[in-house]
Amino acid sequence: MPADRGQGPTISEVAAEAGVGRATAARTLGGYGYVSPELRARVLAAAEKLGYRANALARSMSTGVSHTLGVIVADIGNPFFAGLLRGISDTARARGFDVIVLSTYENLQQEIAATNVLIDKRVDGVIVSSAALDRDQVAHIRAAMDRGIPVVLVDRAVAALDLDAVVIDNRDAAREAVEVLIAAGHRRIGFVWGPPVAQPPSTRRELLAAASASLWTDGERLRGYLDALDDAHIPFDPELVMAGPKTEERVVGEVGRMLALPDRVTAVFCTETDGMTGSLRALRKAGLSYPDDVALIGFDDSAWAAVMDPPLTMIAQPVHQLGAKAAEVLLDILGGAEPARTMHTLRSQLIQRASVAAPPE
Amino acid sequence: MPADRGQGPTISEVAAEAGVGRATAARTLGGYGYVSPELRARVLAAAEKLGYRANALARSMSTGVSHTLGVIVADIGNPFFAGLLRGISDTARARGFDVIVLSTYENLQQEIAATNVLIDKRVDGVIVSSAALDRDQVAHIRAAMDRGIPVVLVDRAVAALDLDAVVIDNRDAAREAVEVLIAAGHRRIGFVWGPPVAQPPSTRRELLAAASASLWTDGERLRGYLDALDDAHIPFDPELVMAGPKTEERVVGEVGRMLALPDRVTAVFCTETDGMTGSLRALRKAGLSYPDDVALIGFDDSAWAAVMDPPLTMIAQPVHQLGAKAAEVLLDILGGAEPARTMHTLRSQLIQRASVAAPPE
DNA sequence: CTGTTAGCGCCTTCAA
DNA sequence: TTGAAGGCGCTAACAG
C-alpha cells in the first residue's frame, strides 16, 4: 500500500458521493453510454464538489489510446523547430490531442531514448525530425512502427524509411538562391554547408558522396547549389564549400579562408542561421562589407535578418504550415486513413532584401 | 476487448517465454527484488528476443510515480525559454527523469489546460513560468499543489503563490542598464515595456500600479528603470515609456513617437527581444542611427545582437543555469527535501558592446 | 529465491 | 437505464 500521495478523488469516490454505481459515474464522466439526466446531474455535482479529474493513465490503460502525439525535434533551441512545433500543437489541440515534445539536440542516442520514452508512454503517434542517416540508424523508428505506432517524418526525409514526410523544397530553394546570386553577376559563390564530414571533400564526386551520407536536407541543399552552378556552366570549386562541424567559430574561419583566396568569393550562401551570423563576423573581420564587397543569402528568415543594415535576403520556410501539415497527416492516419508514404512538399519563399548586389569591379 | 493494437509484449509473455513466473520476470525487468542469475539471464534473453519494453503507464499506475517532470513555458518560440528548457532537460535526464513540455503562448487558458494535462498524466512535479497575475488566476496551480504535486516557478515569481521560484535579478539588471546609459550622459531614456495595460499610464503612480498588476518580471524591470532615474535625479516622463501590447509593429510606432518628440529620446532601453528589433526599425525609419543619434540596450542576448553593426550592448540571462536550477530544486523536493518556498536569484550579465555612446551635441 | 495473489483507476461487456 | 464483475500491465505483499 503506497503512502498517501494525494492522487485526487477516483471515480469510485465520486460514485459514492453521488450515491450511484461506479459504472454510472464512469459513463457520465467518461462521456459515453446512457445515463439519466438526474443521475448525470448528481454525478457531475459530486465530481465538481470533489474536484475530480480523470486519471489519463488509467484511461489509456483500458482504452489503449492516449490522445497524445509525441514529437521529437532535432533542436528545440532552433527557432525553426520552435515554429514547427507551434504548428503541430495548434493542429493537435484543435483535434483534441495533447502533444509531448522531446528534443534530441541532434544526437542520435537521445533520439533513440526519446523514441523509447514515447513508446513507453504509449503515445498514439509520433512526428519526428530525425538525425538518422542510413539503414542501421533507423531501428528505433522501426521499433515504434512495429508496435503499430504511426510515424510521420517532418523537415527531414529519411531514405531508409518508407514513411510520409512533410518537407520543403530544399533543393529548389537552394537553387533559386544561387541563381539570384548568379543573375547578379557572381561566379565565385561560397557555400556554407552543414554536415560534419570526416574529411573535406576535394572533388565533386566526394562531395556528392558526402551529400548522400548526410541529412536529407543538407544533401538537397547541396544539390540545389550544384544545379544552379551547372545550369550557368560555372565550374565547381571545392575550395568554396565549407563542410564539417558547423559551429559559428568554424564558419568564421572557413568563410575567412574563402575571403582570403586569391580569386576570392564574392558571394556567400548559408544553409543555416548560424552560418549567416558566422559569415557576417568573418566579413567584418576581413574588413569587408555587404552587399558591395560580398553578396549574402541565408536560410531561415527572422526578425533580426530584417533589421540588419542592410537587411538580409533570406529564404523563409513555412514553419507553422510545415508543423500543421505533419500533424494533419498523422492525425488522419490515426483517424483511419491509409498512410500515403509519400513526400508532402511545401514551398519556401526567397525574401529579397538588400544583401545582394553585383560583384565588385 | 479492444482490437489488436500491437502494444508489444507484456511481462507475462516474457515470463512464459522464459518459463518463469511473472513476478520473477517483473523483478528482473523492473530491477527490484532478488532473482537468481540464471533465471535473470533467461528472462533478459526472452525480453530481448520479444523486444519487450515496459509499459510506463501500467508502471506508474501501480507505483504512483511517473519519473516525469512537467514543464509549462510561456512561449517555446522564445529563445529564452528554449534555453531554459535545455537546462531543465539536461538536469532531469541526468537524474533519470523524463520531461514533458507544454507551451501556453502567454495565454492563461492554455496554461490552465496545460496544468490539467500534467495533472491527468500524473507527472511527479511541475515547473512553470506562469502568466498568472493575481490571486484569482492561480487556481489551477493551487489545484496541482492540492493534489500533492510539487510546483516550482521559473523566470517569473507570482506574488499570490508561496512557492520556490528560480529567477534572475530583473530589477538590478534593468537598473544597471539604465545606469550605463545615464553614465554616458543620457537623460531622455525611452523604455520599451511589455505589459498590455488597459490605458497608457500618464503618471508615475499609475505606472507603478500597472507594474504591480503585471508579470513579475515586467514589474521588476520597470522598478529598476525608475530606480536608476531616481538615483540620478532625472524626472520621470510618462511620454518615454511604451506600454501596451508589445507587437513589433507597435514598438515601431511608439519608439517613432518618442523619437519625434520636441525633446526627443537619446537612448532606448528594451525589455524584450522584439522590443529591440522594433526599435531598430523605428530608428531606421526616422533616419537615425546608433549609437551616435540614439543609444541602445536590450534584454536577452543572441548571436544576432553580436553581429549587428555596431554590435548591440545586451543583458544576457543565464538561461541554461536558470533551467538547471529550477529542475534541481524540484528534483530535490521530489527526493524528500522540504520546499524552501523562497526566491532563488541568479545573476544576469550586461554585455557591453558598441550600441551606447554619449548623446548628440 | 520464486510463484501466487491482490490491487492501481478506468472502461466495458453482461445481466438485471 | 443501471450496477456488478472482469481485465488493461505492472508492482508489491505474501506465502512457499
Side-chain angles (χ1 to χ4, degrees):
Chain A
M1 148 189 44
D4 172 40
R5 29 197 162 65
Q7 292 275 40
T10 71
I11 236 175
S12 304
E13 300 177 49
V14 174
E17 173 75 25
V20 302
R22 48 182 106 198
T24 302
R27 272 189 283 259
T28 97
L29 264 12
Y32 57 91
Y34 291 99
V35 179
S36 68
E38 328 160 53
L39 287 196
R40 151 177 243 87
R42 286 221 321 257
V43 171
L44 257 19
E48 174 74 41
K49 179 180 170 194
L50 266 37
Y52 173 81
R53 297 229 97 236
N55 183 328
L57 267 40
R59 179 169 287 171
S60 297
M61 276 215 38
S62 51
T63 59
V65 297
S66 59
H67 276 272
T68 302
L69 262 33
V71 181
I72 300 178
V73 296
D75 182 4
I76 193 62
N78 185 332
F80 168 81
F81 288 110
L84 198 88
L85 197 55
R86 175 139 198 191
I88 294 175
S89 304
D90 288 349
T91 304
R93 285 174 48 81
R95 295 233 219 154
F97 276 72
D98 297 325
V99 175
I100 289 182
V101 186
L102 264 17
S103 176
T104 65
Y105 301 107
E106 300 285 6
N107 173 165
L108 194 61
Q109 290 315 311
Q110 285 207 45
E111 181 177 319
I112 294 171
T115 307
N116 287 336
V117 168
L118 296 180
I119 290 175
D120 295 352
K121 289 201 186 298
R122 297 302 192 263
V123 297
D124 293 339
V126 171
I127 295 177
V128 51
S129 60
S130 178
L133 266 19
D134 51 44
R135 275 141 216 84
D136 13 288
Q137 296 189 141
V138 298
H140 57 296
I141 295 182
R142 280 255 154 65
M145 294 163 63
D146 289 347
R147 286 185 148 71
I149 301 177
V151 177
V152 168
L153 266 17
V154 70
D155 179 45
R156 351 229 260 203
V158 177
L161 255 16
D162 186 28
L163 289 172
D164 280 279
V166 179
V167 302
I168 68 148
D169 53 340
N170 286 282
R171 186 170 185 164
D172 285 344
R175 178 186 7 223
E176 185 186 355
V178 178
E179 278 172 357
V180 165
L181 260 8
I182 292 172
H186 296 272
R187 296 181 64 83
R188 299 290 289 167
I189 302 172
F191 187 62
V192 178
W193 202 38
V197 295
Q199 61 183 51
S202 57
T203 67
R204 186 187 172 106
R205 160 170 268 109
E206 282 178 22
L207 192 59
L208 251 7
S212 305
S214 301
L215 250 24
W216 179 82
T217 45
D218 285 326
E220 289 292 288
R221 291 175 190 185
L222 173 69
R223 289 184 196 100
Y225 168 72
L226 259 18
D227 286 346
L229 253 33
D230 291 348
D231 285 353
H233 304 293
I234 296 176
F236 160 70
D237 181 349
E239 295 228 84
L240 305 194
V241 359
M242 159 192 166
K246 183 199 56 255
T247 63
E248 206 183 277
E249 281 314 316
R250 276 213 70 230
V251 173
V252 175
E254 284 291 282
V255 173
R257 179 182 59 68
M258 297 180 203
L259 254 16
L261 251 27
D263 188 7
R264 77 162 174 84
V265 117
T266 63
V268 176
F269 174 43
C270 307
T271 57
E272 306 263 352
T273 298
D274 41 359
M276 182 54 95
T277 51
S279 297
L280 252 6
R281 284 176 48 191
L283 272 196
R284 181 142 345 136
K285 220 164 158 176
L288 264 19
S289 63
Y290 71 94
D292 294 326
D293 296 323
V294 179
L296 252 23
I297 297 186
F299 244 97
D300 290 343
D301 194 30
S302 69
W304 284 107
V307 296
M308 289 292 294
D309 186 20
L312 268 14
T313 291
M314 303 288 269
I315 294 170
Q317 300 197 55
V319 289
H320 190 277
Q321 207 185 327
L322 212 46
K325 180 67 179 177
E328 272 168 32
V329 171
L330 180 56
L331 257 7
D332 285 348
I333 294 174
L334 291 178
E338 196 58 31
R341 303 186 181 292
T342 60
M343 212 119 102
H344 306 260
T345 306
L346 267 37
R347 293 222 43 186
S348 61
Q349 197 188 349
L350 180 71
I351 302 191
Q352 300 218 221
R353 284 197 275 248
S355 58
V356 177
E361 270 156 296
Chain B
M1 153 188 40
D4 173 39
R5 31 198 159 68
Q7 292 274 38
T10 72
I11 236 175
S12 304
E13 299 178 48
V14 174
E17 173 76 26
V20 302
R22 49 181 104 193
T24 302
R27 272 190 284 260
T28 97
L29 264 12
Y32 58 92
Y34 292 98
V35 179
S36 68
E38 328 160 54
L39 287 195
R40 150 176 242 88
R42 288 225 314 263
V43 172
L44 256 20
E48 174 73 43
K49 179 180 171 195
L50 266 36
Y52 172 80
R53 297 231 96 236
N55 182 328
L57 268 39
R59 179 171 285 171
S60 297
M61 276 215 40
S62 51
T63 59
V65 297
S66 59
H67 276 273
T68 302
L69 263 32
V71 181
I72 300 177
V73 295
D75 182 3
I76 194 63
N78 184 332
F80 168 81
F81 288 110
L84 198 88
L85 197 56
R86 176 140 197 191
I88 293 175
S89 304
D90 288 349
T91 305
R93 285 173 50 81
R95 295 232 219 155
F97 276 72
D98 297 326
V99 175
I100 289 183
V101 186
L102 266 15
S103 176
T104 66
Y105 300 108
E106 302 285 6
N107 174 165
L108 194 61
Q109 291 314 311
Q110 285 208 47
E111 181 177 318
I112 294 171
T115 307
N116 287 336
V117 168
L118 296 181
I119 291 176
D120 295 352
K121 288 201 186 300
R122 297 302 193 262
V123 298
D124 293 340
V126 171
I127 294 177
V128 50
S129 60
S130 178
L133 266 19
D134 49 44
R135 277 141 216 85
D136 12 287
Q137 296 189 145
V138 297
H140 57 296
I141 295 183
R142 281 255 153 67
M145 295 164 62
D146 289 348
R147 285 184 150 71
I149 302 176
V151 178
V152 168
L153 267 17
V154 71
D155 179 45
R156 354 232 256 202
V158 177
L161 255 16
D162 186 30
L163 289 172
D164 280 278
V166 179
V167 302
I168 68 147
D169 53 340
N170 286 282
R171 186 171 184 166
D172 285 344
R175 177 183 12 219
E176 184 185 355
V178 178
E179 277 172 357
V180 165
L181 260 10
I182 292 174
H186 297 272
R187 296 182 63 84
R188 299 288 290 166
I189 304 172
F191 186 61
V192 177
W193 201 39
V197 295
Q199 60 184 51
S202 58
T203 66
R204 186 187 172 107
R205 158 171 270 109
E206 282 179 24
L207 192 59
L208 252 5
S212 305
S214 301
L215 249 25
W216 179 81
T217 44
D218 285 327
E220 289 291 288
R221 291 174 190 185
L222 173 69
R223 288 184 197 100
Y225 169 70
L226 260 17
D227 286 346
L229 253 33
D230 291 347
D231 285 353
H233 304 292
I234 296 176
F236 159 71
D237 181 349
E239 295 228 84
L240 304 195
V241 358
M242 159 190 167
K246 183 199 57 256
T247 63
E248 206 183 275
E249 281 315 316
R250 277 214 67 231
V251 174
V252 175
E254 284 291 282
V255 173
R257 181 182 58 68
M258 297 181 205
L259 253 18
L261 252 26
D263 188 9
R264 78 163 174 83
V265 118
T266 62
V268 175
F269 174 44
C270 307
T271 57
E272 307 262 352
T273 298
D274 42 358
M276 180 55 96
T277 51
S279 298
L280 252 6
R281 285 176 49 193
L283 272 195
R284 180 141 346 135
K285 220 164 160 178
L288 265 18
S289 62
Y290 71 94
D292 294 327
D293 297 324
V294 179
L296 253 23
I297 298 185
F299 245 97
D300 290 343
D301 195 30
S302 71
W304 285 106
V307 296
M308 289 293 292
D309 187 20
L312 267 13
T313 292
M314 301 289 268
I315 294 170
Q317 300 198 56
V319 288
H320 189 278
Q321 206 185 327
L322 212 46
K325 179 68 180 176
E328 274 168 31
V329 171
L330 179 56
L331 256 9
D332 285 348
I333 294 175
L334 291 178
E338 196 57 31
R341 302 185 183 292
T342 60
M343 213 121 103
H344 306 260
T345 306
L346 267 39
R347 293 222 42 186
S348 62
Q349 197 188 348
L350 180 71
I351 302 191
Q352 300 218 219
R353 285 196 275 248
S355 59
V356 177
E361 270 157 293

